[in-house]
């Protein structure tokens, strides 16, 4: 993955999934230059009668080909070079000088180098493909729509050539509505991938099993505590923001475990939901009944867009050391389409900062209130009771 590479988890990554896996692609200008070099060398010899020493350019062709072509193509260039060298019309081969033997040795050595390079390249491609698959199993691509919620986002890992770092987010639909998590674990880069995988696994189970966000937070907290047991000076912790869109309702429930509150765009204006921050995950406080997390319910209006983010966005600095002012820049972008908002923030962030050194992520959620109301009425018709919007109770625990 190249610097500035951003993996957009909306199903349409900025670059092809396997782009660059085979290493830096051959420079096309170099590949095209090799045939031109051979032809030009022969023409200069015929029409300008250049010295025999000019034939040394032929010996340079196979080694250059070995850097850009496979062994068969390298052997082909070598054969052409030998043919031109021995061509009577050019009169380059002087008997008794040993030039032919030297050229043949260079060609054979170039073919061997090309074969070794190709084998190493294929092995690297295989290893990195497996690594890509493993990382995508942790951070699965984000669908454009989950339930009645439109989704888009971006994710950039700090570690070079990595798609997963210390940030996490996911959106899942379940019996209790659409739930989303945005988190930031201790550390960044590859060292935090194991914790990210554990938290996402616990969250995906909680979407199906736990009837409220408090229990979801407790499950994540317990996961962190258990993973820290038996590890001396583990000090493993993570911040997380949980969001829930109950079926058939025009509200969103928010629970913050030490994570920044989301921002909300309403008619192009910035609205900051009042969210009470609870202790981070991994301290075990919720298991001991201390510092129990508090859920806030926020009423939504048609067209509202929620933007959740990690500190990698707000702590990015420009050349003067100033932090990226997301709260100021977000409404100034003039973008309200949730499908384009994440990309607009990313481009603005790239223009603002000098260099990004931390994992960063941005998750954009836009609930379709009309579709949610219809889903609520459908659910009420199936169960024979009132919908959540009409004051009905929450679904029973699965």
């Amino acid at each position: 993955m190249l610097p500035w590479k951003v993996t957009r988890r909306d199903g349409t990554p900025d670059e092809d999934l396997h782009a660059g896996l085979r290493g830096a692609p051959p420079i096309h200008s170099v590949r095209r230059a090799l045939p031109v070099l051979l032809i030009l060398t022969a023409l200069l010899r015929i029409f300008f009668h250049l010295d025999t020493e000019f034939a040394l350019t032929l010996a340079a062709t196979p080694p250059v080909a070995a850097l850009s072509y496979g062994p068969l193509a390298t052997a082909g260039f070598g054969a052409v070079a030998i043919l031109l060298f021995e061509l009577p019309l050019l009169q380059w081969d002087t008997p008794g000088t040993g030039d032919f033997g030297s050229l043949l040795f260079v060609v054979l050595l170039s073919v061997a180098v090309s074969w070794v390079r190709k084998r190493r390249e294929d092995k690297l491609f295989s290893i990195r493909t497996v690594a890509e698959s493993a990382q995508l199993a942790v951070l699965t691509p984000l669908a454009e729509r989950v339930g009645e919620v439109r989704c888009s986002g971006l994710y950039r890992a700090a570690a070079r050539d990595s798609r997963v770092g210390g940030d996490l987010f996911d959106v899942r639909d379940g019996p209790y509505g659409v739930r989303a998590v945005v988190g930031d674990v201790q550390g960044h880069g590859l060292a935090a991938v194991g914790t990210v995988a554990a938290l996402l696994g616990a969250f995906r189970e909680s979407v199906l099993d736990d009837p409220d966000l408090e229990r979801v937070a407790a499950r994540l907290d317990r996961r962190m505590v258990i993973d820290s047991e038996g590890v001396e000076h583990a000090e493993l912790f993570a911040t997380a923001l949980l969001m829930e869109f109950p079926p058939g309702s025009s509200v969103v429930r928010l629970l913050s475990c030490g994570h920044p509150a989301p921002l909300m765009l309403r008619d192009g204006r910035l609205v900051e939901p009042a969210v009470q921050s609870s202790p981070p995950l991994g301290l075990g406080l919720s298991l001991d009944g201390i510092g129990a997390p508090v859920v806030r319910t926020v009423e939504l209006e048609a067209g509202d867009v929620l933007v959740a983010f990690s500190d990698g966005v707000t702590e990015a600095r420009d050349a003067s050391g100033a932090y990226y002012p997301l709260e100021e820049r977000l409404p100034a972008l003039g973008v309200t389409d949730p499908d384009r908002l994440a990309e607009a923030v990313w481009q603005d962030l790239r223009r603002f900062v000098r260099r990004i050194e931390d994992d960063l992520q941005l998750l954009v959620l836009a609930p379709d209130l009309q579709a949610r109301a219809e889903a609520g009425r459908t659910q009420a018709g199936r169960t024979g009771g009132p919908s959540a919007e009409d004051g009905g109770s929450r679904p029973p625990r699965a």
Side-chain angles (χ1 to χ4, degrees):
M1 185 169 59
L2 299 176
W4 294 110
K5 166 68 178 177
V6 55
T7 305
R8 295 181 58 205
R9 297 184 56 217
D10 58 0
T12 55
D14 284 12
E15 298 177 12
D16 185 71
L17 180 63
H18 298 296
L21 284 183
R22 289 189 179 272
I27 302 175
H28 295 291
S29 58
V30 174
R31 303 191 68 168
R32 298 190 189 101
L34 290 177
V36 175
L37 177 62
L38 291 173
I39 297 174
L40 184 61
T41 301
L43 292 178
L44 289 175
R45 174 64 175 174
I46 294 173
F47 293 103
F48 295 94
H49 305 288
L50 296 181
D51 295 337
T52 306
E53 287 75 9
F54 191 68
L56 293 176
T57 56
L58 295 176
T61 304
V64 175
L67 300 177
S68 302
Y69 290 89
L72 291 179
T74 302
F77 278 107
V80 172
I82 292 176
L83 179 64
L84 292 176
F85 187 73
E86 292 294 320
L87 197 64
L89 177 64
L90 300 180
Q91 298 179 355
W92 261 329
D93 187 12
T94 303
T97 60
D99 291 338
F100 174 79
S102 299
L103 180 57
L104 180 61
F105 174 76
V106 170
V107 171
L108 296 177
L109 183 61
S110 300
V111 172
V113 169
S114 178
W115 180 77
V116 172
R117 179 190 61 80
K118 187 67 167 55
R119 283 198 61 186
R120 291 174 62 88
E121 194 175 75
D122 290 343
K123 184 177 181 179
L124 177 62
F125 175 75
S126 176
I127 292 173
R128 296 187 66 179
T129 300
V130 173
E132 287 277 353
S133 301
Q135 292 179 75
L136 288 175
V138 175
L139 278 177
T140 57
L142 183 65
E144 295 182 0
R145 192 180 188 95
V146 179
E148 294 81 35
V149 180
R150 295 168 62 188
C151 312
S152 69
L154 65 85
Y155 188 102
R156 180 191 184 275
R160 184 178 176 85
D161 298 324
S162 175
R163 293 184 181 274
V164 183
D167 289 351
L168 61 102
F169 67 79
D170 201 5
V171 184
R172 298 280 167 164
D173 195 5
Y176 308 105
V178 176
R179 287 175 176 172
V181 60
V182 175
D184 186 1
V185 308
Q186 176 193 15
H188 64 268
L190 297 177
V193 173
T195 306
V196 168
L199 284 177
L200 286 176
F203 170 74
R204 290 162 185 168
E205 288 295 322
S206 69
V207 168
L208 302 176
D209 298 336
D210 296 325
D212 52 58
L213 292 184
E214 293 91 341
R215 298 193 189 186
V216 175
R219 182 190 289 258
L220 300 181
D221 190 31
R222 183 170 63 251
R223 177 76 270 165
M224 296 284 290
V225 171
I226 292 176
D227 288 349
S228 299
E229 289 180 354
V231 180
E232 187 177 1
H233 306 300
E235 297 180 354
L236 192 62
F237 67 90
T239 65
L241 172 67
L242 298 172
M243 294 173 281
E244 179 183 78
F245 300 89
S249 176
S250 60
V251 302
V252 58
R253 297 189 177 104
L254 305 173
L255 187 154
S256 172
C257 296
H259 200 83
L263 303 177
M264 184 164 63
L265 283 176
R266 174 173 292 171
D267 297 327
R269 297 177 293 104
L270 188 67
V271 178
E272 299 183 46
V275 178
Q276 180 176 334
S277 183
S278 304
L281 303 173
L283 304 181
L285 298 181
S286 63
L287 302 179
D288 298 332
I290 305 173
V294 178
V295 177
R296 296 293 188 186
T297 301
V298 178
E299 290 288 338
L300 297 173
E301 298 181 6
D304 285 351
V305 178
L306 286 165
V307 180
F309 54 92
S310 66
D311 58 8
V313 176
T314 54
E315 294 182 1
R317 303 190 185 194
D318 63 7
S320 66
Y323 292 108
Y324 178 71
L326 179 61
E327 298 179 5
E328 299 176 8
R329 310 283 282 227
L330 196 59
L333 293 175
V335 179
T336 57
D337 183 359
D339 296 331
R340 297 173 46 236
L341 185 56
E343 179 66 18
V345 173
W346 170 246
Q347 296 299 333
D348 186 60
L349 182 63
R350 289 182 60 177
R351 290 188 294 267
F352 179 87
V353 303
R354 178 182 57 184
R355 182 175 59 183
I356 294 180
E357 299 178 346
D358 195 6
D359 303 318
L360 64 84
Q361 62 173 331
L362 192 79
L363 178 63
V364 179
L365 302 175
D368 186 341
L369 298 186
Q370 182 178 358
R372 295 187 65 77
E374 294 175 356
R377 288 191 290 269
T378 301
Q379 180 185 16
R382 291 175 179 174
T383 60
S387 66
E389 200 171 45
D390 297 329
S393 60
R394 305 186 66 176
R397 186 173 183 178

